[in-house]
Amino acid sequence: MRYFIHLAYNGSSFHGWQVQPNATTVQAVLENAFSHLLGETIGITGCGRTDTGVHASDFYAHFETEQELSDTELTQLTFKVNSFLSEDIRIYRIFVVNDDVHARFSATARTYQYHVSNVKQPFGKDFCHRVFYKPDIELMNQAANILFEYTDFTSFSKLHTQTATNNCTILYARWDMVGEEYVFTISANRFLRNMVRAITGTLLEVGRGKLSLDDFRKVIESKNRCNAGTSLPAKALFLTKVEYEGVL
């Protein structure tokens, strides 16, 4: 039987999603909890591999077991896992899916948000990146629209990764003012390592007048990570939506 887990986590205390030697990760903590409660070794596959310090308010994973769990048992398991885990992770629900549904490969789109502010945020500083200038949000949105013209985002990818292709289809990209924060929302069919933080950092260079729109276009076309802006801190990045067709 294959089961999906719908969850959220604060990534501040974790070295990302994926299991790593001598490091606390979300995947490792979940596998330990489910293995303990189900009385067998449980491997868990996530919908993505968030980096160290990145958060997820909407995340899916799946695991397999020969145990056929009823809806009541799944509700009880959800309660038990939440009791077992720290406050940094919350399980929303656990539900059965068909054997061919995969948490990672069946996802059709993912959405991230990055939070930026140019004023002090006493209660949000741990989840927001502070800048010391006023970004031109209209100019940044003009640059964000340029992303739709391209599919190869090598310039925004971490170097020496094992991906077969650096092609992605951008579905949505926009800056909005939310209170005192500049929030960048971006959706795509897939993302490269550090892609969102690199794009956001480069867009901010446009917003502060260090890059023109033509410069931004040239950064993409160069397919050279060295030409793009800084990869911004992980603490302000959230995975906010994962989409599946005909599954949820």
Side-chain angles (χ1 to χ4, degrees):
M1 301 292 292
R2 177 169 291 188
Y3 298 92
F4 254 39
I5 311 166
H6 184 204
L7 67 145
Y9 56 85
N10 178 336
S12 303
S13 302
F14 299 101
H15 287 77
W17 162 264
Q18 191 172 10
V19 170
Q20 300 178 46
N22 304 314
T24 302
T25 68
V26 181
Q27 183 183 27
V29 168
L30 287 175
E31 289 182 345
N32 179 60
F34 276 84
S35 296
H36 176 79
L37 292 170
L38 291 175
E40 61 180 286
T41 300
I42 297 293
I44 296 179
T45 300
C47 61
R49 299 176 181 178
T50 54
D51 292 332
T52 298
V54 175
H55 319 288
S57 57
D58 186 53
F59 195 93
Y60 290 89
H62 77 252
F63 68 94
E64 293 181 344
T65 174
E66 293 185 1
Q67 300 180 44
E68 295 187 23
L69 303 171
S70 66
D71 289 344
T72 299
E73 289 172 324
L74 290 173
T75 299
Q76 292 172 344
L77 179 60
T78 301
F79 176 81
K80 290 178 181 178
V81 174
N82 277 321
S83 300
F84 193 90
L85 297 171
S86 71
E87 293 292 326
D88 294 319
I89 304 176
R90 177 184 174 184
I91 307 299
Y92 292 120
R93 68 181 180 123
I94 306 168
F95 55 99
V96 67
V97 294
N98 293 332
D99 292 345
D100 60 347
V101 178
H102 194 282
R104 180 181 177 189
F105 298 125
S106 296
T108 57
R110 297 167 179 81
T111 300
Y112 284 88
Q113 288 188 334
Y114 197 92
H115 295 251
V116 177
S117 181
N118 65 338
V119 297
K120 284 185 174 182
Q121 298 286 353
F123 304 107
K125 60 184 176 63
D126 293 332
F127 305 101
C128 186
H129 175 57
R130 175 121 186 250
V131 297
F132 296 89
Y133 53 87
K134 185 177 180 180
D136 186 329
I137 193 169
E138 182 178 346
L139 200 57
M140 291 193 297
N141 273 329
Q142 290 179 39
N145 285 335
I146 294 174
L147 294 168
F148 296 106
E149 301 173 19
Y150 297 90
T151 55
D152 189 329
F153 294 102
T154 301
S155 295
F156 302 120
S157 174
K158 186 174 182 179
L159 300 175
H160 311 302
T161 60
Q162 297 179 338
T163 55
T165 175
N166 287 336
N167 287 352
C168 309
T169 300
I170 304 296
L171 305 171
Y172 184 90
R174 179 180 171 82
W175 287 89
D176 292 290
M177 287 300 302
V178 181
E180 295 181 313
E181 292 186 2
Y182 298 81
V183 180
F184 179 55
T185 304
I186 183 168
S187 301
N189 66 329
R190 63 188 293 265
F191 287 95
L192 309 172
R193 289 285 303 278
N194 282 330
M195 179 175 165
V196 178
R197 288 189 283 153
I199 287 177
T200 310
T202 310
L203 288 172
L204 283 172
E205 293 294 284
V206 175
R208 69 186 300 187
K210 287 201 167 186
L211 288 177
S212 68
L213 295 177
D214 284 340
D215 291 334
F216 185 73
R217 192 184 301 276
K218 289 175 182 177
V219 166
I220 301 174
E221 293 176 353
S222 73
K223 301 178 185 179
N224 186 335
R225 178 66 185 90
C226 296
N227 293 332
T230 302
S231 179
L232 297 180
K235 69 175 185 176
L237 180 61
F238 293 77
L239 174 60
T240 60
K241 189 175 184 180
V242 183
E243 298 178 53
Y244 299 87
E245 289 185 4
V247 177
L248 307 181

